[in-house]
Amino acid sequence: MNAAANSDAQTFVIKDYTLQCGATLPEAKVVYQTYGTLAGDRRNVILYPTSYGAQHPDIEWLIGRDRILDPERWFIVIPNMFGNGLSSSPSNNPHCKLSESGFWFTHWDNVRAQEQLLREVFGVETLALVYGWSMGAQQAYHWGALYPERVQRIVALCGTARTTEHNQIFLHSLRTALTADPTWTGDRFEGVPDRGFRAFARIYASWAASQAFYREGLYYPLGYTSLEDYLLRGWEAGYRKRDPHNLLSMIDTWLRCDVGDNPVYQGDYERALGAIRAKTWVMPATTDLYFTPEDCEAEARLIPSAEFRPIPSIWGHRAGNPYQNPADEAFIRQAVSDALADALTDG
């Protein structure tokens, strides 16, 4: 089955949804896509949350019979996170303001909405796997901590359960670059932030791939003619497809990521990680510059059933989303195969 064969996204609406920031949305919308067939016993479900700037068509490339997630065996659900432009976001909901007005989304908000979607639409109580990269991995950790008896496995690629201070600096630099554009009024953009997009993309590109990636010129085999061509077409063009208010909204969610910062754990980060019962594969890239292997390994030690399996790659953060990189895709596919080897025989 080709992932593109099932291309009709659905929308789940929650009335009067109260967010962690205290705001209530009259209608919170979660746009989601499914792949494969739900088994009669509902035990073959994989949840695959979205990452920063991504919508479900951007990440479904790895769904296929010979890819990382096999829809012939698994029922895969991609829920678009709040703020990404498909689910409730500043670009499509007038009630969704930016943080200057005291409004923001958190992963507590995302995961509770996803749980309600799975339970009410599909009758799903247990997940065989939560698979996530980057901000998707953040959501995977939240799932494991908030619903420990309902998540059997987690594969967390290039992400942490709490945003480190070093990572926060990266995020603030992105936010500052985008809002330094003259079109920014203090709470919104009036026009296209051309200078902001240009600066934003270059900061992102410098962090998302390793020094070795650039030293070896790995963008040339991808069809780019120069470093500037790569920055323009490989980075800036992609972010220009996104509403800048949504880019800020997702940064605010990322900045606030802390698996212990919610009413369940009341700020106790270590207790939240210790509550995860799922078999958890912690998979940073060895050269990731903002979800570093050291930070990921430290979290793995706090999760009772964790295996630390770093991706040996010079692609940096992008090793966890290897649509241009067959070697890293093969490594991840093997890890997922190992994780799911006994999935449909487990009690």
Side-chain angles (χ1 to χ4, degrees):
M1 174 180 174
N2 188 300
N6 187 2
S7 58
D8 296 325
Q10 303 294 312
T11 300
F12 178 66
V13 179
I14 306 173
K15 299 288 188 181
D16 298 322
Y17 190 62
T18 300
L19 304 173
Q20 190 169 4
C21 68
T24 297
L25 297 181
E27 287 191 343
K29 297 182 179 180
V30 180
V31 174
Y32 65 96
Q33 179 67 283
T34 64
Y35 311 80
T37 302
L38 180 62
D41 61 8
R42 295 175 171 79
R43 292 179 57 206
N44 69 330
V45 181
I46 293 176
L47 188 74
Y48 178 18
T50 55
S51 49
Y52 182 81
Q55 299 174 349
H56 68 270
D58 302 311
I59 64 170
E60 65 182 6
W61 67 269
L62 57 70
I63 299 173
R65 188 180 65 176
D66 298 319
R67 308 309 293 259
I68 293 171
L69 302 179
D70 183 359
E72 295 190 2
R73 186 180 184 195
W74 304 101
F75 181 65
I76 303 155
V77 182
I78 302 182
N80 290 271
M81 69 175 163
F82 292 131
N84 84 338
L86 292 183
S87 293
S88 294
S89 305
S91 66
N92 61 30
N93 188 325
H95 297 279
C96 299
K97 308 297 182 182
L98 295 172
S99 61
E100 284 81 357
S101 60
F103 181 98
W104 58 82
F105 296 112
T106 66
H107 288 316
W108 162 258
D109 302 323
N110 281 312
V111 169
R112 285 185 301 124
Q114 293 164 13
E115 187 278 334
Q116 192 170 339
L117 159 68
L118 291 171
R119 177 168 40 83
E120 294 187 7
V121 176
F122 300 107
V124 169
E125 295 285 345
T126 301
L127 295 172
L129 171 68
V130 184
Y131 175 99
W133 170 65
S134 194
M135 285 186 80
Q138 294 176 340
Q139 292 167 77
Y141 285 126
H142 278 70
W143 260 99
L146 295 173
Y147 303 101
E149 296 180 355
R150 296 169 59 182
V151 179
Q152 295 179 325
R153 296 162 191 81
I154 293 170
V155 171
L157 299 134
C158 303
T160 54
R162 180 172 66 181
T163 300
T164 66
E165 290 187 350
H166 183 251
N167 199 337
Q168 290 175 32
I169 296 171
F170 160 67
L171 296 169
H172 282 301
S173 71
L174 290 176
R175 208 179 197 289
T176 301
L178 198 54
T179 57
D181 191 274
T183 61
W184 176 250
T185 67
D187 62 2
R188 60 174 288 103
F189 294 97
E190 293 185 351
V192 178
D194 289 317
R195 296 180 193 173
F197 275 132
R198 183 175 177 83
F200 181 98
R202 279 152 182 75
I203 293 170
Y204 221 118
S206 70
W207 283 68
S210 74
Q211 295 91 340
F213 174 92
Y214 287 105
R215 186 166 56 246
E216 297 191 15
L218 293 187
Y219 49 87
Y220 287 112
L222 303 178
Y224 299 101
T225 59
S226 65
L227 177 59
E228 182 63 14
D229 182 39
Y230 176 59
L231 296 175
L232 282 172
R233 293 196 293 122
W235 287 95
E236 187 175 335
Y239 285 119
R240 282 180 174 273
K241 296 177 182 177
R242 298 292 178 246
D243 186 295
H245 303 92
N246 296 340
L247 293 177
L248 293 181
S249 178
M250 288 181 282
I251 286 174
D252 291 343
T253 303
W254 188 342
L255 279 167
R256 289 175 171 82
C257 175
D258 183 341
V259 73
D261 183 17
N262 53 64
V264 175
Y265 295 104
Q266 300 181 342
D268 195 333
Y269 161 76
E270 293 191 4
R271 184 165 71 92
L273 287 177
I276 296 175
R277 297 185 183 182
K279 300 176 184 178
T280 303
W281 281 258
V282 178
M283 297 184 64
T286 54
T287 53
D288 197 325
L289 297 177
Y290 45 80
F291 294 114
T292 69
E294 295 82 3
D295 290 327
C296 293
E297 187 172 19
E299 289 194 336
R301 289 195 292 267
L302 297 173
I303 300 171
S305 298
E307 176 181 328
F308 182 67
R309 191 182 294 195
I311 307 166
S313 174
I314 67 171
W315 280 69
H317 185 61
R318 300 189 78 182
N321 183 37
Y323 67 95
Q324 298 169 311
N325 182 1
D328 290 348
E329 180 186 356
F331 185 90
I332 295 168
R333 185 170 62 247
Q334 183 59 57
V336 171
S337 177
D338 293 345
L340 291 170
D342 61 349
L344 297 184
T345 60
D346 281 359

